[in-house]
Amino acid sequence: MAVYDQTYVPWAGTYAPRWRRVAAIVSSDLAQPFRNRWIRLILILTFVIGGGWLILLFFAASAQTMPPMVAGNRLYRDGFFNFPLVPVVLGVLSATVGAPLVARDLRYNALLMYFSRAITRADYVAGKFIALALFMLLATLGPALLLFLGQMGMGSDKLHWSDRLADLGAVTVHSLIVAVPMSAAALAFSSLTRRATVAAILWTSFYFATMIVSEILKRLLHEGWCEMISWTNLTSHLANYVYAPRPAPKPVLDCGWLEPLAILVSVTVLSLAIVWRNIKAVEVRE
């Protein structure tokens, strides 16, 4: 009978840099949604909406009659981001993609595997958040860039290159205003339960409830602060300040930019704190 040496030899390797650990989580979670047919269809729908406005812009440029909706930066601001169907699609998309990110790991006790491989709690939260934010940026910035390039290629607006760059920066910042708080909030709801379906229902219920409650209170009380309850009102009003006034947008809320910025930043920080606390509770319990 052969005798094998089973002496324990400590591992003497070196850990990969922290950014590579985070990148590994991001790449894994970012690839997961594309395996789902329904998520791919919802994502395609955002590009279909952008493509529809691009077709309208093409016919308007051919006829040399530019409707107000496709003139200037209203094409991105009102034509895409504030189009009534887009917030609904983004809410559903953030729920279907974001809900399983933490809930799935809680259900199958995958956190033990993560934290046993030199991945810290900060690495984990950062990886999950960046993965969801990048996916939401694909659904927001992607169609907006399609419209930006189409408008520039057709030459429907005679603008200086500095104005083009300003519009590009505004579109990018608008996408971040939409994607970052939404990603953080969806991740927070995902950390509250082990069931991805329950997390998705909770997040979408909260998201759409802010719009419904805001409208009801506005009709009952006729107060300006009632409109600040709506998630989409906050993001739309804040995003209006990043665009050059060509033409000047109509204010969504009766306030400046500081109030919605403070609310959205607070929601983002609070959401990530909830994720951190729930992950820490599981780590301590195990």
Side-chain angles (χ1 to χ4, degrees):
M1 176 176 167
V3 178
Y4 298 97
D5 184 11
Q6 295 181 344
T7 304
Y8 171 73
V9 179
W11 181 70
T14 57
Y15 289 121
R18 167 165 285 185
W19 70 267
R20 291 191 62 180
R21 299 177 228 165
V22 175
I25 299 175
V26 172
S27 61
S28 175
D29 288 330
L30 194 57
Q32 191 70 27
F34 292 99
R35 300 169 187 167
N36 188 305
R37 178 186 303 174
W38 297 109
I39 293 178
R40 292 199 303 267
L41 290 175
I42 298 174
L43 181 62
I44 291 172
L45 180 58
T46 61
F47 282 87
V48 169
I49 295 173
W53 283 109
L54 203 58
I55 294 173
L56 179 61
L57 178 64
F58 172 77
F59 285 115
S62 301
Q64 297 183 348
T65 56
M66 198 63 59
M69 184 58 71
V70 297
N73 49 37
R74 286 192 64 184
L75 180 63
Y76 335 115
R77 187 183 68 232
D78 298 330
F80 177 70
F81 286 106
N82 295 336
F83 188 69
L85 183 60
V86 171
V88 176
V89 172
L90 294 179
V92 173
L93 195 62
S94 63
T96 53
V97 176
L101 288 181
V102 180
R104 181 178 56 234
D105 293 341
L106 293 175
R107 183 177 183 182
Y108 296 109
N109 294 321
L111 292 177
L112 298 179
M113 182 189 70
Y114 276 109
F115 298 144
S116 67
R117 296 178 179 272
I119 295 176
T120 65
R121 197 182 314 129
D123 298 334
Y124 178 85
V125 175
K128 297 291 182 177
F129 173 68
I130 293 173
L132 182 54
L134 287 177
F135 190 89
M136 295 307 299
L137 280 175
L138 178 62
T140 53
L141 185 57
L145 285 179
L146 180 67
L147 288 174
F148 172 81
L149 294 174
Q151 187 184 56
M152 184 173 62
M154 295 179 194
S156 55
D157 285 335
K158 305 301 181 182
L159 298 176
H160 191 263
W161 64 269
S162 59
D163 295 323
R164 295 288 186 192
L165 289 178
D167 284 346
L168 179 59
V171 167
T172 304
V173 175
H174 195 162
S175 301
L176 289 170
I177 290 172
V178 173
V180 170
M182 183 174 285
S183 300
L187 209 61
F189 281 96
S190 177
S191 70
L192 295 176
T193 176
R194 295 174 180 264
R195 300 282 182 177
T197 304
V198 175
I201 293 174
L202 289 175
W203 161 236
T204 51
S205 299
F206 173 81
Y207 176 71
F208 292 115
T210 62
M211 307 177 203
I212 297 172
V213 171
S214 174
E215 188 63 27
I216 292 175
L217 290 179
K218 179 185 175 183
R219 293 178 181 273
L220 292 177
L221 303 178
H222 304 286
E223 296 287 344
W225 62 264
C226 300
E227 297 180 322
M228 299 181 68
I229 298 175
S230 172
W231 189 287
T232 54
N233 284 350
L234 292 171
T235 56
S236 298
H237 183 78
L238 180 60
N240 281 344
Y241 284 91
V242 304
Y243 289 97
R246 301 190 323 267
K250 180 181 178 182
V252 180
L253 303 173
D254 295 330
C255 63
W257 59 269
L258 185 59
E259 291 87 345
L261 176 63
I263 294 174
L264 291 174
V265 170
S266 300
V267 169
T268 302
V269 173
L270 178 62
S271 298
L272 294 178
I274 291 173
V275 179
W276 181 275
R277 179 183 177 277
N278 291 335
I279 298 303
K280 182 179 179 181
V282 173
E283 193 178 0
V284 171
R285 187 167 61 249
E286 298 294 341

